[in-house]
Amino acid sequence: MLPIDPSLSIADFDYDLPEDLIAQTPPATRTDSRLLLMQHNGQLQDLNFSALPDLLQPNDLLIFNDTKVIKARLYGQKDSGGRVEALIERILEPTRALAHVRASKSPRPGTTLIFDEAVACTVVARHDDLFELQFDTDILPVLDKHGNLPLPPYIKHSADQQDETRYQTVYARHPGGAAAPTAGLHFDAALLQRLQDKGINTAWVTLHVGAGTFQPVRVEKISEHIMHAEWYTVPENTVAAIAATRERGGRVIAVGTTSVRALESAAQQGGTLGELRCPVAHSADTQLFITPGYTFRVIDGLITNFHLPQSTLLMLVSALTGRERMREAYRHAIEARYRFFSYGDAMFIAPA
């Protein structure tokens, strides 16, 4: 656990957001989003996301999170007849998972839950806010057939067919996320091709985003916050791509805060590359909590959406920009009527 400035409070990361700026639907096409460019000197510029290749240089490296959102929400009933809703947080084994469970009374170990009148599971144990569930069949096919896409709580409509396409990156390939890595939602195949044509390289990490990403910080002093755990992997070829980028004088730019958490978590395990620590290939749970004062070991820049007030994601961004520049950028975005959160616009925190 890295030390956190004990003077920091959630009030340091608060701001007022007009409700009508919370994006409820995606733009017509992925690259129609706006992009707020923050230069290394703090200067701000309003652009369209399609301008991104012009802001990058040959030999830069973009690192994406290739998790795939699963249809993690199930509706059903307890064997006693009471209604129940489960949100799969993590698949532990093909037939075993951790889940958030909502019911009039919390189910006890041994309780049978029946979803869609067809699929049964048994409550094995409770681990803090999560319930361990044992299914009688493989979970992923059950979710594909009976599950519902778990849209964030600030999106007010039920998931529809458009959401099943647009609340998923075009490069998603490893099922397991309970939420999307939303900075990646702005990329389509044509934009990825433009990046490749310009000589901008890409690499991949996987971090299965948990529903905990939407949980508010409930303590006044953020040093007392217990960060939720998420599973990640940084593969060997991504470590090699970072090393090659450094050797060529390129810059490492994370697409999304989840990519940052994976890379910086792996760097905690790693050695050095010049004066920078380099991540090692690694798979594990991470509870890395990045707040102002953190020294970034891997990334030089970040592409990210606009985040909830008082959220751990906003704290991560503030660690990279500085709190005052973060506040200025968010004030500008609100005044310029950017769209916020998962289906909203993006920000590029450019490296020097």
Side-chain angles (χ1 to χ4, degrees):
M1 185 76 175
L2 298 175
I4 295 173
D5 183 347
S7 70
L8 292 174
S9 73
I10 57 172
D12 295 320
F13 305 95
D14 199 11
Y15 66 93
D16 293 323
L17 179 68
E19 189 172 348
D20 66 335
L21 294 186
I22 300 174
Q24 296 296 317
T25 56
T29 63
R30 292 178 184 267
T31 57
D32 278 348
S33 301
R34 297 169 71 189
L35 180 66
L36 178 60
L37 171 64
M38 177 187 279
Q39 301 281 10
H40 68 277
N41 61 2
Q43 183 177 351
L44 301 172
Q45 185 177 358
D46 299 314
L47 300 168
N48 185 275
F49 199 86
S50 60
L52 180 65
D54 300 326
L55 307 177
L56 302 174
Q57 302 169 5
N59 294 323
D60 281 349
L61 176 67
L62 290 178
I63 300 184
F64 298 86
N65 179 8
D66 61 7
T67 184
K68 185 174 184 179
V69 183
I70 56 177
K71 294 181 180 180
R73 182 168 278 117
L74 292 164
Y75 297 100
Q77 62 186 39
K78 294 185 281 188
D79 50 6
S80 61
R83 286 194 289 186
V84 67
E85 175 187 333
L87 177 63
I88 302 299
E89 173 78 11
R90 182 184 307 196
I91 297 175
L92 302 172
E93 295 175 357
T95 60
R96 191 164 59 93
L98 292 175
H100 301 272
V101 176
R102 295 177 60 185
S104 57
K105 291 184 179 179
S106 294
R108 297 179 178 179
T111 302
T112 298
L113 309 180
I114 302 169
F115 299 111
D116 206 16
E117 300 181 355
V119 179
C121 71
T122 302
V123 177
V124 176
R126 182 168 184 172
H127 308 284
D128 297 323
D129 292 336
L130 296 173
F131 292 80
E132 184 178 341
L133 306 180
Q134 179 67 52
F135 285 74
D136 56 9
T137 187
D138 284 1
I139 295 169
L140 279 176
V142 167
L143 298 179
D144 284 342
K145 184 175 182 180
H146 302 284
N148 296 269
L149 193 72
L151 290 177
Y154 45 75
I155 292 179
K156 301 307 180 183
H157 67 268
S158 299
D160 57 25
Q161 191 170 4
Q162 181 190 41
D163 295 307
E164 291 188 11
T165 300
R166 296 296 301 277
Y167 193 65
Q168 194 84 265
T169 63
V170 298
Y171 47 78
R173 53 184 170 180
H174 295 299
T182 55
L185 298 180
H186 306 284
F187 292 82
D188 59 16
L191 182 60
L192 291 170
Q193 185 62 54
R194 286 178 58 204
L195 293 166
Q196 181 179 334
D197 292 344
K198 190 173 178 178
I200 297 158
N201 301 306
T202 56
W204 313 92
V205 297
T206 304
L207 184 142
H208 291 320
V209 190
T213 193
F214 303 118
Q215 294 299 314
V217 176
R218 295 189 174 93
V219 292
E220 183 65 27
K221 297 296 184 183
I222 67 171
S223 58
E224 299 172 2
H225 176 65
I226 298 174
M227 191 70 175
H228 61 283
E230 293 171 320
W231 183 89
Y232 78 94
T233 186
V234 175
E236 290 277 5
N237 54 7
T238 295
V239 174
I242 292 169
T245 299
R246 298 292 186 213
E247 290 172 3
R248 292 192 297 262
R251 306 172 301 175
V252 177
I253 297 164
V255 178
T257 56
T258 58
S259 297
V260 175
R261 285 193 76 209
L263 293 166
E264 296 292 326
S265 296
Q268 305 295 321
Q269 316 294 323
T272 59
L273 182 66
E275 295 181 355
L276 293 170
R277 287 173 63 88
C278 184
V280 296
H282 194 65
S283 295
D285 279 345
T286 178
Q287 288 183 280
L288 180 63
F289 187 14
I290 296 176
T291 63
Y294 179 85
T295 300
F296 289 88
R297 292 163 169 80
V298 182
I299 70 161
D300 301 306
L302 172 64
I303 299 166
T304 185
N305 280 23
F306 295 97
H307 301 292
L308 289 154
Q310 301 184 356
S311 65
T312 60
L313 304 183
L314 185 58
M315 295 170 193
L316 184 155
V317 173
S318 300
L320 187 61
T321 64
R323 281 188 291 154
E324 283 305 318
R325 285 183 175 176
M326 179 275 294
R327 288 195 193 96
E328 183 181 346
Y330 274 59
R331 279 196 297 267
H332 175 91
I334 291 169
E335 291 172 1
R337 299 198 58 80
Y338 278 69
R339 302 168 79 238
F340 275 62
F341 307 157
S342 294
Y343 276 151
D345 297 314
M347 179 178 179
F348 178 27
I349 304 164

